[in-house]
Amino acid sequence: MKSVKIIKTVEKFPGGMMVIPLLLGCIVNTFFPGFLGIGGFTTALLSNKGAATFVGMFIFCCGASINVRQIGEPFYKGAVLTFTKFAIGVAIGVIVGKIFGPAGIFTITPLAIIAAITNSNSVMYSILAKQYGVPTDVGAVSVLSLNDGPFFTMIALGLTGMADIPFMSIVAVLVPLGLGMLLGNLDEDVRELCEKGMPIIIPFNGFCLGAGMNLMDVINAGVPGIILGLVSMISTGFGCYWAYNFFFGRKKKTAVGAGVGNTAGNAVATPPAIGAADPSLAPYAAAATAQVAAACVITALLCPLLTAWLHKRLEKKELAKARQG
């Protein structure tokens, strides 16, 4: 029987090992959601409920690949990405709010803008950083994960009554990362084992991420939701790409910064939380929720493509310089 080259075919697509499983998960959840809920090992392996396990495994393996002697660099890189993404999201949201008021432009409210743009999918960044960067790039997720959820959005909107630092959420990210770093630096065989194991985690991670999305969210949000997703990806993708290379690309530029040009699925819960905290924003929460959900789907599909394109562009420039030299 002739072998079917599944892996080689998937790898021909930019970020294919994550994007294609993600798209398949999204399609299954949209049209056959009951399949993911039949229980047992199927639900545990393929549904969005299994995402936390794969994320934990991935973060652990990321930690094992980091050399403890380079501990300062991952956190420095994470701080640059986190601040840049936050600053861009707040700036766009504030400008829209000042000019057009809380109703926003094209029904895209400042609430939706800040919720979508300041939040990023740290898992997607980790996978892209692993593919296009170095271990210290992957380690930046320990800081970048702070923008997962409504915390920074609440700060940006001035809701100080709900802006409590989710300390245990931070600890929950740092524990597997720290354990991986400890074991990986105590035993090089552990580091090698984790590096070999990471590729198998990536497609399952992608499928489970997609299993938490629904293509109908894009339809329900309409054009404004698609615009929000594109603005989120373009503004923070290129913005963080530039900032990352400004600080860390003096020896060799990288496309890793563009890996945060996305919106995480948990950002969907931010507009309702903000609306409940501030009644003046409650009328805009429903539309903002649909738009943020659409932005999650759009950026999940396009951010890896943008990162891959920038990576190839940099490779061509490096090759041209080498030929000239």
Side-chain angles (χ1 to χ4, degrees), residues 236-251:
T236 60
F238 283 103
C240 290
Y241 165 80
W242 178 85
Y244 207 69
N245 283 311
F246 178 80
F247 286 99
F248 311 111
R250 294 177 182 176
K251 293 182 179 179

Side-chain angles (χ1 to χ4, degrees), residues 51 70 136:
Q70 300 175 330
T136 55

Side-chain angles (χ1 to χ4, degrees), residues 106-140:
F106 304 130
T107 73
I108 305 175
T109 64
L111 171 60
I113 292 172
I114 295 177
I117 298 180
T118 61
N119 183 299
S120 66
N121 189 323
S122 56
V123 177
M124 178 175 290
Y125 165 79
S126 299
I127 294 172
L128 294 173
K130 173 63 179 177
Q131 184 172 358
Y132 299 115
V134 296
T136 55
D137 295 325
V138 180

Side-chain angles (χ1 to χ4, degrees), residues 22-295:
L22 183 147
L23 184 58
L24 290 174
C26 187
I27 291 173
V28 171
N29 187 52
T30 301
F31 300 104
F32 312 102
F35 173 75
L36 299 175
I38 63 176
F41 299 127
T42 300
T43 298
L45 181 67
L46 301 177
S47 74
N48 189 246
K49 294 180 180 179
T53 300
F54 288 117
V55 171
M57 291 174 61
F58 190 82
I59 292 176
F60 178 88
C61 291
C62 288
S65 66
I66 298 174
N67 191 320
V68 71
R69 289 174 294 181
Q70 300 175 330
I71 186 65
E73 193 171 355
F75 291 93
Y76 182 29
K77 288 181 174 181
V80 169
L81 287 175
T82 301
F83 175 80
T84 303
K85 187 167 178 69
F86 176 75
I88 292 173
V90 172
I92 296 176
V94 169
I95 291 172
V96 171
K98 291 291 185 180
I99 297 175
F100 302 99
I105 179 174
F106 304 130
T107 73
I108 305 175
T109 64
L111 171 60
I113 292 172
I114 295 177
I117 298 180
T118 61
N119 183 299
S120 66
N121 189 323
S122 56
V123 177
M124 178 175 290
Y125 165 79
S126 299
I127 294 172
L128 294 173
K130 173 63 179 177
Q131 184 172 358
Y132 299 115
V134 296
T136 55
D137 295 325
V138 180
V141 71
S142 59
V143 178
L144 187 63
S145 62
L146 295 176
N147 70 18
D148 289 357
F151 176 58
F152 284 136
T153 304
M154 290 179 178
I155 292 178
L157 294 171
L159 302 178
T160 55
M162 293 184 66
D164 297 323
I165 298 177
F167 179 72
M168 292 310 297
S169 296
I170 300 173
V171 172
V173 173
L174 294 178
V175 167
L177 185 75
L179 285 175
M181 289 179 62
L182 175 63
L183 295 176
N185 282 274
L186 288 176
D187 188 350
E188 291 184 359
D189 290 337
V190 172
R191 181 180 301 170
E192 183 179 353
L193 176 66
C194 290
E195 288 178 347
K196 290 181 178 178
M198 289 181 74
I200 191 62
I201 300 175
I202 292 175
F204 285 99
N205 228 331
F207 190 93
C208 289
L209 177 64
M213 300 178 180
N214 194 310
L215 293 175
M216 295 305 296
D217 291 333
V218 179
I219 297 175
N220 292 335
V223 175
I226 296 174
I227 292 175
L228 179 61
L230 293 175
V231 169
S232 177
M233 183 192 69
I234 293 172
S235 63
T236 60
F238 283 103
C240 290
Y241 165 80
W242 178 85
Y244 207 69
N245 283 311
F246 178 80
F247 286 99
F248 311 111
R250 294 177 182 176
K251 293 182 179 179
K252 183 179 180 181
K253 294 187 181 299
T254 175
V256 167
V260 300
N262 56 67
T263 301
N266 57 28
V268 177
T270 298
I274 301 297
D278 187 349
S280 67
L281 296 176
Y284 308 107
T289 300
Q291 292 166 5
V292 172

